Amino acid sequence: MAVKIAVKGSILTKIPIVQSVFIDKIKEKLPETKFITDDVSSTLGGYYLALKKLKEY
């Protein structure tokens, strides 16, 4: 199963070398990991998590 990781935070989004090393290190252990680097509101992520939880009930 592929894991999805949203890359947020100014250090990870504004410093390319930091983002690159971060992604490379994770892919060493979890090669099928998918990274979301789009500038998306954290509120939207919370909304999607809430929808997922509601579907479980």
Side-chain angles (χ1 to χ4, degrees), residues 27-41:
K27 284 197 169 213
E28 284 178 13
K29 299 287 183 186
L30 301 166
E32 294 187 29
T33 302
K34 304 292 181 202
F35 290 88
I36 303 167
T37 57
D38 299 337
D39 187 20
V40 177
S41 168

Side-chain angles (χ1 to χ4, degrees), residues 40-51:
V40 177
S41 168
S42 298
T43 305
L44 185 58
Y47 170 75
Y48 288 139
L49 289 173
L51 283 179

Side-chain angles (χ1 to χ4, degrees), residues 3-48:
V3 175
K4 292 182 184 176
I5 297 176
V7 177
K8 294 294 284 182
S10 59
I11 291 175
L12 288 173
T13 59
K14 294 182 180 177
I15 305 173
I17 187 70
V18 174
Q19 185 183 92
S20 177
V21 170
F22 174 78
I23 290 172
D24 290 346
K25 289 296 179 184
I26 292 174
K27 284 197 169 213
E28 284 178 13
K29 299 287 183 186
L30 301 166
E32 294 187 29
T33 302
K34 304 292 181 202
F35 290 88
I36 303 167
T37 57
D38 299 337
D39 187 20
V40 177
S41 168
S42 298
T43 305
L44 185 58
Y47 170 75
Y48 288 139

